[in-house]
Amino acid sequence: MKIHKEGFLIIAFAFVIISFLSFISIALVPFAWLTYFLIFGFSVVFLWVVLFFRVPLRKINYGNHILATADGEVVAIEEVTEKEHFKERRIMVSVFMSPFNVHVNWYPFSGTVTHVEYHPGKFLFAHHPKSSELNERNSIVLEKEPGKDILIRQVAGIMARRIICYSKPGDTAVQGKELGIIRFGSRVDFFLPIGTEIKVQMNQKVKAQQTVIGQFKE
């Protein structure tokens, strides 16, 4: 495991704040047991911040399939009208990332990035069905070949305040390589072509780089 580069500054800032609060607790709190309790609580928060930016070293499940882009729980599998790019009926598979999941995002298959667009918006709870359309979000269209393309939507949640995406139109994507990260609780939606064989179920826990969420129709 390593720490994501986007976390270095935040971790350093959290360390300074936690150290300051701990010093204040030692200096001002009159009860030793309460001081120890507060320092323990501050330490837990700091550990959570560090672990939030963890990047696990995993064996990538390479293959002619669509891998999960994010860790989390499948909260939606439904046919919808994708209004932003394809403007047609698509199968939407949504993965909710809790604050305790890994929040780095990876490419689900190898191909070409054809579209990237950021949308400012609200910060509704990422589990909310409308969060995909109303929240701050970033869309990436990845094409394997004509007729085999998907839209990956990074959606900010109630705690998330920044979506980071490294993808640009024209980029060559490699299955399992990083495309970005979302800070502190969020969601990723996949808009797949009708006819795609879905390999996951509702409420299933998935892991990026390893869990197969679908297979393109041949």
Side-chain angles (χ1 to χ4, degrees), residues 121-148:
K122 299 180 179 180
F123 295 96
L124 301 174
F125 182 46
H127 213 295
H128 193 287
K130 286 293 185 181
S131 65
S132 180
E133 298 179 358
L134 300 180
N135 280 19
E136 176 181 328
R137 59 202 181 277
N138 187 73
S139 298
I140 304 154
V141 176
L142 180 61
E143 182 180 86
K144 184 179 183 67
E145 57 187 69
K148 295 182 179 180

Side-chain angles (χ1 to χ4, degrees), residues 3-16 49 53 162 183:
I3 300 300
H4 197 280
K5 62 183 180 180
E6 299 291 347
F8 293 157
L9 186 61
I10 293 176
I11 291 171
F13 179 74
F15 179 77
V16 171
V49 172
F53 290 101
R162 188 179 180 195
R183 292 181 184 171

